[in-house]
Amino acid sequence: MSTTTKLSSQDTDLINQYNEAPKKLADALSGLSDNELDKKRAEGKWSIREIAHHIIECDLNYFQINRYALADTGAKFIFNEFDPNTWNQNMEHSKRSIQLELQLFTIMREYIAYLCSSLPNGFDRVLIHQDGKATVRDALQHDIQHANHHIEQILETKKIHNL
């Protein structure tokens, strides 16, 4: 049984933007060869492949945080600091395919959007963490900005290399 709560136009727009990121990322990566996925904007920067993995690794963390806020609003959630360079190295982002992660990214975003749209006051539920507190709405806005920022880096890298 599926229920949907009445969403404001702002929240509907937020959900649409949130759900656009996987398609934007897939479009940015479309047609790139393995060699092209390994291109970097500059020495010392991550490759296109590594940026894509980073976006999705972060979204895995955001997914859990958002679910926690939706399930137990106002509860305190403590999460470990996330060193993206450690994850990049230890998860071997430079060597791994991105196909499975792209599917995961889509499913995670669709699921959180579904929960926000179907749970009463989903966007207003609160997560308290070591740095303060945020509503799910605030968290989704952050998630959108994070993904878009890194997708822009991918597009910049493609432009630099005429891809």
Side-chain angles (χ1 to χ4, degrees):
M1 180 173 162
S2 172
T3 60
T4 303
T5 61
K6 179 76 172 140
L7 299 180
S8 70
S9 62
Q10 292 87 358
D11 286 342
T12 299
D13 289 346
L14 184 66
I15 285 294
N16 290 338
Q17 290 176 42
Y18 182 74
N19 276 332
E20 286 173 0
K23 182 174 179 349
K24 283 182 174 180
L25 180 58
D27 288 348
L29 300 172
S30 180
L32 295 177
S33 68
D34 273 346
N35 183 48
E36 291 168 337
L37 287 169
D38 294 330
K39 298 291 185 189
K40 299 179 179 187
R41 290 189 326 269
E43 187 64 35
K45 299 291 185 182
W46 284 348
S47 69
I48 292 171
R49 179 190 312 275
E50 291 169 313
I51 294 168
H53 279 292
H54 170 74
I55 292 168
I56 299 160
E57 291 285 4
C58 287
D59 231 71
L60 278 163
N61 289 327
Y62 304 153
F63 175 80
Q64 181 60 18
I65 293 164
N66 289 329
R67 284 181 57 241
Y68 200 93
L70 288 163
D72 196 5
T73 188
K76 190 166 188 174
F77 183 85
I78 303 297
F79 50 93
N80 293 328
E81 291 298 316
F82 176 76
D83 179 352
N85 291 313
T86 298
W87 281 69
N88 182 34
Q89 179 181 347
N90 293 341
M91 297 295 282
E92 297 186 340
H93 291 168
S94 66
K95 300 175 185 174
R96 290 187 15 237
S97 170
I98 55 176
Q99 293 312 308
L100 186 59
E101 279 85 348
L102 285 172
Q103 293 173 28
L104 181 61
F105 190 34
T106 300
I107 292 295
M108 288 188 306
R109 289 281 176 122
E110 287 176 358
Y111 183 70
I112 292 297
Y114 163 74
L115 291 177
C116 289
S117 300
S118 61
L119 296 173
N121 303 313
F123 290 94
D124 298 317
R125 296 184 186 197
V126 174
L127 177 72
I128 300 170
H129 51 83
Q130 61 264 35
D131 297 323
K133 72 178 188 174
T135 65
V136 171
R137 182 181 292 105
D138 296 333
L140 295 185
Q141 289 170 339
H142 168 271
D143 301 352
I144 292 165
Q145 291 170 351
H146 180 262
N148 286 342
H149 166 73
H150 288 298
I151 292 167
E152 285 301 318
Q153 290 178 333
I154 290 170
L155 296 174
E156 178 185 341
T157 304
K158 287 175 65 175
K159 185 175 181 181
I160 289 169
H161 295 284
N162 297 315
L163 303 176

